[in-house]
Amino acid sequence: MSAVRRPFTIDDACRLINSVTWVYARTVPAHPHFYAVHDQHPLLAEDFDGFAALIREAGTVRWWPAPGSTCGCAICAGRRPFPVHYLTIGDWEYWGPMPPGLLNRQVRRNRAGRS
């Protein structure tokens, strides 16, 4: 008989957020954000999966790149917008796994210009 895993919660997400190394995505300056790599935290594999599920279940969907976006970066150029789930926790928005094996975060949009 296999154990039933309880649902992953915001508290679980906060523990994971504080347990992983977040790296600034310096190769994507047009879209400032940080990422955490699943493979660099093998003992937290279930938590990465749980957080990704929580983002899909409790997050909100926005199109990326935003329709009509004019950022002009190589990543967005010619790309058709697609839906992405975002989950806000504190001052950060989280999304992932995109690409697979990564969790991403950025400063919440309405806080980005504040100091």
Side-chain angles (χ1 to χ4, degrees):
M1 183 165 133
S2 65
V4 175
R5 183 160 163 82
R6 67 178 177 73
F8 199 80
T9 66
I10 295 292
D11 287 340
D12 295 325
C14 289
R15 279 190 290 280
L16 176 65
I17 289 164
N18 292 321
S19 298
V20 300
T21 302
W22 293 95
V23 178
Y24 180 70
R26 61 180 166 69
T27 60
V28 194
H31 303 284
H33 68 285
F34 298 81
Y35 63 91
V37 180
H38 180 280
D39 290 346
Q40 292 178 352
H41 304 282
L43 298 178
L44 299 173
E46 284 187 26
D47 290 338
F48 263 76
D49 295 342
F51 193 20
L54 179 66
I55 292 167
R56 282 190 307 274
E57 294 164 8
T60 57
V61 176
R62 291 200 310 265
W63 290 89
W64 191 89
S69 173
T70 58
C71 86
C73 77
I75 293 171
C76 295
R79 179 173 285 204
R80 294 181 60 183
F82 58 94
V84 177
H85 289 82
Y86 294 88
L87 180 64
T88 300
I89 300 175
D91 290 339
W92 296 92
E93 288 183 314
Y94 296 87
W95 71 95
M98 189 182 92
L102 294 182
L103 290 173
N104 301 278
R105 76 179 188 173
Q106 66 188 8
V107 174
R108 199 171 71 201
R109 285 183 178 195
N110 62 352
R111 303 232 352 133
R114 298 182 187 172
S115 51

